[in-house]
Amino acid sequence: MQIVRGIEEFKRAREALDGSVGFVPTMGALHHGHLSLIKSSKKENDYTVVSIFVNPMQFLPGEDFDAYPRREEADCRICEIAGVDILFLPESSSIYKKDEVKLKAPGYLGYILEGSRRPGHFDGVLQIVMKLFGLVRPSRAYFGKKDAQQLALIRKMVDDFFLPVEIVAEETVREDDGLALSSRNVYLSTEERKRALSISRALKSASRLIMAGELESEKIKKRMYEIMKDIDIEYIQIVDRDFRPLRKVAIRNTIILVAARVGKTRLIDNLWV
Ligand code: AMP
């Protein structure tokens, strides 16, 4: 595995790859969710590039940019064992210029739900992903369904800018007890982690209700609010694949989205129906 930090060095390493390139962009503190993206990329491409970059532009003032877990040594080992070809670890100063061209997330999809709680967050996500796509020139890029709105926005950017990359979405990887894996889970105390389980329990209960024939969004949401009563819910929303709110669940065209705070930790999760 090549570990590359500089932009010019990365360009040279990329140039030497002759074949299809799968790309997994991450912010590090790698877990089995990231590994599942890497595994798919390995299966479907000649080469796999992973980037680790805690992107300052997607954090709002007061968010956890400084506290965000940084585990470079462990991450390098994980990538090596997983068979990654190039691990790209750029510096912020070589990625961003002083007064540069800026992408803006679309007014609807970029500013509802996560975008309304974290205004500008997705502008920063699109900015970094566009830059990384320019450097990596991937045949396929792998993203988790756990960040459903991010995935939808990246798909839209690829479509709007006619980018020659295939976006591949992977299922959310969970702990045995249901908690969706996230680098931010390390912030949770034992007691908070227990309470956080109500998020995946609520989603599971929504799934059971739907299988039993309950399609009314309000009724499903009511049950979910009850289950999550001990944590600070930011939103529970039932939307179609274009993120338009649904009064009734439409099978194969619905995502149930949850954001909540447990102590100081903000968690998101969802269920694709
Ligand atoms: P992050 O490092 O949190 O920015 O995530 C990098 C990529 O991994 C994104 O595409 C995420 O959606 C994806 N990801 C994060 N958590 C999970 C998970 N539990 N299961 C599957 N993919 C995930």
Side-chain angles (χ1 to χ4, degrees), residues 67-136:
Y68 198 85
R70 287 159 172 92
R71 303 271 149 79
E72 198 178 291
E73 245 187 80
D75 287 350
C76 285
R77 247 179 289 131
I78 289 169
C79 287
E80 175 88 60
I81 292 165
V84 170
D85 296 286
I86 303 179
L87 175 58
F88 184 35
L89 304 165
E91 292 287 338
S92 188
S93 56
S94 59
I95 288 285
Y96 289 115
K97 321 240 167 33
K98 236 195 200 147
D99 181 26
E100 62 178 23
V101 174
K102 288 213 173 58
L103 285 178
K104 181 123 190 88
Y108 180 70
L109 190 52
Y111 287 85
I112 54 161
L113 299 164
E114 283 306 283
S116 88
R117 297 290 170 155
R118 308 179 70 190
H121 164 69
F122 288 123
D123 300 358
V125 169
L126 296 180
Q127 189 81 4
I128 188 62
V129 172
M130 185 63 136
K131 281 172 182 271
L132 292 171
F133 279 2
L135 283 165
V136 178

Side-chain angles (χ1 to χ4, degrees), residues 67-255:
Y68 198 85
R70 287 159 172 92
R71 303 271 149 79
E72 198 178 291
E73 245 187 80
D75 287 350
C76 285
R77 247 179 289 131
I78 289 169
C79 287
E80 175 88 60
I81 292 165
V84 170
D85 296 286
I86 303 179
L87 175 58
F88 184 35
L89 304 165
E91 292 287 338
S92 188
S93 56
S94 59
I95 288 285
Y96 289 115
K97 321 240 167 33
K98 236 195 200 147
D99 181 26
E100 62 178 23
V101 174
K102 288 213 173 58
L103 285 178
K104 181 123 190 88
Y108 180 70
L109 190 52
Y111 287 85
I112 54 161
L113 299 164
E114 283 306 283
S116 88
R117 297 290 170 155
R118 308 179 70 190
H121 164 69
F122 288 123
D123 300 358
V125 169
L126 296 180
Q127 189 81 4
I128 188 62
V129 172
M130 185 63 136
K131 281 172 182 271
L132 292 171
F133 279 2
L135 283 165
V136 178
R137 292 180 282 117
S139 323
R140 298 182 188 85
Y142 295 80
F143 292 88
K145 284 178 158 184
K146 170 163 182 294
D147 298 283
Q149 200 174 351
Q150 166 176 287
L151 171 65
L153 280 158
I154 286 162
R155 285 211 153 114
K156 183 156 171 56
M157 176 174 80
V158 164
D159 193 42
D160 290 354
F161 287 90
F162 313 107
L163 301 179
V165 52
E166 181 190 335
I167 301 301
V168 183
E170 295 292 336
E171 296 301 328
T172 299
V173 177
R174 298 175 181 281
E175 305 271 15
D176 289 342
D177 58 12
L179 185 69
L181 293 185
S182 160
S183 304
R184 288 190 167 99
N185 289 351
V186 298
Y187 300 151
L188 297 169
S189 69
T190 313
E191 181 272 332
E192 287 170 343
R193 197 188 171 287
K194 246 185 226 157
R195 277 194 292 137
L197 286 179
S198 68
I199 299 174
S200 53
R201 269 199 287 120
L203 288 167
K204 220 178 261 162
S205 135
S207 162
R208 270 198 303 271
L209 278 175
I210 292 164
M211 281 195 287
E214 179 58 81
L215 299 179
E216 295 282 338
S217 296
E218 281 315 311
K219 292 207 177 124
I220 296 166
K221 276 160 70 173
K222 187 164 171 275
R223 181 76 194 110
M224 292 178 70
Y225 273 103
E226 284 163 11
I227 294 172
M228 291 167 55
K229 65 178 176 355
D230 292 332
I231 62 174
D232 184 6
I233 300 166
E234 285 196 358
Y235 61 75
I236 299 175
Q237 194 56 265
I238 300 184
V239 298
D240 67 13
R241 296 284 200 265
D242 295 320
F243 283 76
R244 303 281 169 187
L246 284 174
R247 259 193 294 145
K248 260 187 153 182
V249 166
I251 303 298
R252 272 186 278 284
N253 186 26
T254 299
I255 312 174

Side-chain angles (χ1 to χ4, degrees), residues 9-21:
E9 190 190 350
F10 181 81
K11 284 183 185 165
R12 278 194 301 276
R14 169 64 184 91
E15 204 55 49
L17 302 182
D18 185 16
S20 62
V21 173

Side-chain angles (χ1 to χ4, degrees), residues 53-68:
F53 180 61
V54 184
N55 175 31
M57 217 187 140
Q58 71 188 68
F59 288 79
L60 271 64
E63 287 189 349
D64 57 343
F65 175 72
D66 291 326
Y68 198 85

